[in-house]
Amino acid sequence: MNFIQNYIKSPLDKLFDNKELNEADHILFILVSLLITIGVIFSYSLSVYTVEIFSYNQFHYILRQGLVAFLSISIIWIFTKLNPYYVISKVGMSLFAIGFLLMFIMPFLPSSFVTASGGANRWIRLPGFSLSPVEFFKVGFVYFLSWSFYRKIIHRPKVNLWGEFKMLIPYFAIFVLVVIFVAFFQKDLGQVFLLAVVMIVLTVFANRSIKILLSLCAAGLIGLVALIIVAPHRINRFHSWWSMSQDTFLAILPSSWEKIFRVENLPEPYQVSQSLNAIHNGGFFGKGIGFGEIKMGFLSEVHTDFVLAGITEEIGWLGFIFIIILFFAIIWRIFKIAKFVENKIFYLFCTSIALMIILSFFINSFGISGLIPIKGMAVPMISYGGSSLLANAFAIGMVLCISRTVKSEKGVS
């Protein structure tokens, strides 16, 4: 009996071992919880038309998102009590391995087990909800990169460009698999672009040269163009964006270039046009929560992909600026934790999570405003969707757990 008690007690002691650990960054916890709460509020306000169309209960979306939000905040809080030296590697590698396995088997699952979007299987259907493996894989992937870069890359002396390229070849091979599973099988170029940028930037934080950064950027740009060209739906999306943007770009280019790049008779992107109308209608103070008009059938996915447009119409530029401040405050806190943490794996991981959050925000906000082609990238902590919110909860929770290792005399306050 004593043996069994000691066997059970030992892992728990390691999991909750608080020796020489400080309190987690409570300010970051409050900021993230506030952002999640804003997302729950607008999952109710912006889904009113969708509720009517599908004859759902009026509280359908807020109850589902509220439940996931409560679970997410609870997960984050639990992480603030755990021992990072014991739990972070296990959680990070588990998310990487399980996410990779689920993405691998998804193309082979029968239709009764998957939910399709645009002809691609992106969600695994479970009782009562659907799960998007790529959201969890992203968190695991950046942890894997952080762990492996520390072991194989960060301590290596700087060499010539070819030497650094050979050093990174195993990571390129892994990333090719990511491209196959995500860009081809799931037709989700946005997530591939996000992970590519994080991986490229992480090479700099891992003590590599600017030359390899520029080379990877060039290679990434070529790969991005290739992935667009081989997919007709991406070409159509680019054409749709170019129809709105070509006048702006051609105005600053030599007039001789206009004959080459101007394309006539392109359809204007309806969704982006309505998104811009929502932003314009909101003005500075907004129409008030619940009083937005564009959500009433004019703009689909307003509680998911276009949530920022719907929010801006209802609480105006003033409210949108407040959300931007929240995001940048969160990013600042995470970078500050990364700056003062001593463990290099934790340093690289926190940096990666900050990059993922801010890139996701920019990709979505630039897309709905027509600055870049639209991409269905969720706004972290705000867009409706359980998988995205739960995955971000694990990411933020792990960062808060890591914040406990910051020495008290340095602090993150």
Side-chain angles (χ1 to χ4, degrees):
M1 180 64 70
N2 290 335
F3 171 78
I4 296 175
Q5 289 177 344
N6 291 335
Y7 181 80
I8 296 174
K9 185 178 179 181
S10 180
L12 289 177
D13 285 344
K14 293 179 181 178
L15 188 62
F16 293 98
D17 185 4
N18 292 317
K19 294 178 181 177
E20 299 181 1
L21 291 175
N22 299 306
E23 291 293 320
D25 184 354
H26 295 303
I27 295 178
L28 178 59
F29 177 79
I30 292 171
L31 292 171
V32 171
S33 299
L34 179 57
L35 205 57
I36 292 174
T37 302
I38 291 173
V40 173
I41 293 171
F42 282 99
S43 70
Y44 176 73
S45 174
L46 299 178
S47 63
V48 57
Y49 183 77
T50 307
V51 164
E52 291 295 327
I53 288 295
F54 292 101
S55 300
Y56 293 150
N57 181 284
Q58 63 173 322
F59 302 110
H60 174 84
Y61 286 103
I62 191 173
L63 288 176
R64 292 167 69 93
Q65 192 71 358
L67 177 62
V68 177
F70 175 78
L71 179 59
S72 298
I73 293 174
S74 299
I75 289 172
I76 296 172
W77 181 83
I78 290 171
F79 268 105
T80 65
K81 306 300 178 182
L82 302 180
N83 178 5
Y85 298 111
Y86 183 74
V87 74
I88 295 298
S89 61
K90 291 177 173 57
V91 173
M93 286 303 188
S94 297
L95 290 173
F96 174 70
I98 295 172
F100 189 88
L101 177 62
L102 291 177
M103 289 197 303
F104 176 78
I105 66 174
M106 277 182 69
F108 309 104
L109 291 176
S111 58
S112 58
F113 286 97
V114 295
T115 302
S117 175
N121 296 335
R122 295 184 180 177
W123 291 274
I124 296 177
R125 187 179 297 133
L126 298 170
F129 67 98
S130 295
L131 186 72
S132 176
V134 70
E135 296 290 348
F136 298 92
F137 172 77
K138 288 189 301 183
V139 181
F141 181 70
V142 298
Y143 179 79
F144 166 78
L145 288 180
S146 304
W147 170 80
S148 189
F149 275 17
Y150 171 74
R151 295 177 67 247
K152 303 291 186 180
I153 303 294
I154 198 170
H155 299 298
R156 301 276 289 273
K158 291 185 178 180
V159 293
N160 58 33
L161 183 61
W162 174 242
E164 292 196 325
F165 180 79
K166 288 192 295 184
M167 198 184 304
L168 295 171
I169 284 178
Y171 304 99
F172 299 152
I174 294 173
F175 194 76
V176 168
L177 293 177
V178 174
V179 171
I180 293 172
F181 290 143
V182 180
F184 284 99
F185 289 161
Q186 298 189 21
K187 299 181 180 179
D188 195 343
L189 183 59
Q191 302 287 12
V192 170
F193 175 78
L194 176 69
L195 291 176
V197 173
V198 173
M199 181 176 171
I200 290 171
V201 174
L202 209 58
T203 60
V204 177
F205 287 96
N207 198 32
R208 295 301 95 200
S209 68
I210 297 297
K211 289 182 180 179
I212 192 67
L213 171 67
L214 296 177
S215 300
L216 291 177
C217 287
L221 183 60
I222 294 171
L224 179 64
V225 173
L227 288 172
I228 293 174
I229 291 175
V230 299
H233 73 281
R234 293 181 189 134
I235 295 176
N236 292 336
R237 187 174 294 170
F238 180 82
H239 282 167
S240 180
W241 168 75
W242 186 245
S243 68
M244 288 189 64
S245 307
Q246 60 181 340
D247 290 338
T248 302
F249 284 98
L250 292 176
I252 61 176
L253 294 175
S255 57
S256 58
W257 290 32
E258 183 163 352
K259 293 181 180 180
I260 301 174
F261 292 104
R262 180 169 291 281
V263 182
E264 302 291 347
N265 302 319
L266 286 176
E268 289 193 6
Y270 173 82
Q271 290 284 80
V272 176
S273 297
Q274 294 299 332
S275 174
L276 292 174
N277 286 338
I279 295 171
H280 173 76
N281 291 346
F284 190 75
F285 294 104
K287 290 178 170 291
I289 296 177
F291 293 95
E293 298 174 358
I294 296 296
K295 66 185 179 185
M296 303 303 293
F298 298 99
L299 181 61
S300 62
E301 309 296 337
V302 69
H303 58 299
T304 56
D305 295 345
F306 289 88
V307 65
L308 291 178
I311 287 175
T312 305
E313 183 182 26
E314 298 202 347
I315 61 176
W317 277 100
L318 186 63
F320 181 66
I321 291 171
F322 175 71
I323 289 175
I324 291 176
I325 292 172
L326 278 181
F327 267 106
F328 276 92
I330 289 170
I331 299 305
W332 173 252
R333 301 299 298 186
I334 297 176
F335 274 133
K336 206 165 186 182
I337 292 169
K339 177 182 178 181
F340 290 117
V341 76
E342 295 180 353
N343 185 299
K344 292 299 182 183
I345 299 176
F346 293 169
Y347 159 73
L348 292 173
F349 177 73
C350 290
T351 302
S352 301
I353 294 302
L355 288 172
M356 277 210 310
I357 292 174
I358 200 62
L359 280 173
S360 298
F361 178 80
F362 280 143
I363 290 172
N364 183 283
S365 57
F366 287 178
I368 67 168
S369 58
L371 295 176
I372 61 173
I374 189 67
K375 187 67 199 76
M377 182 75 68
V379 182
M381 278 82 76
I382 291 184
S383 289
Y384 177 84
S387 294
S388 174
L389 183 53
L390 283 173
N392 279 294
F394 275 98
I396 296 295
M398 292 168 72
V399 170
L400 280 169
C401 189
I402 289 169
S403 73
R404 304 189 68 198
T405 68
V406 176
K407 299 300 181 182
S408 57
E409 62 266 20
K410 294 177 181 178
V412 290
S413 60

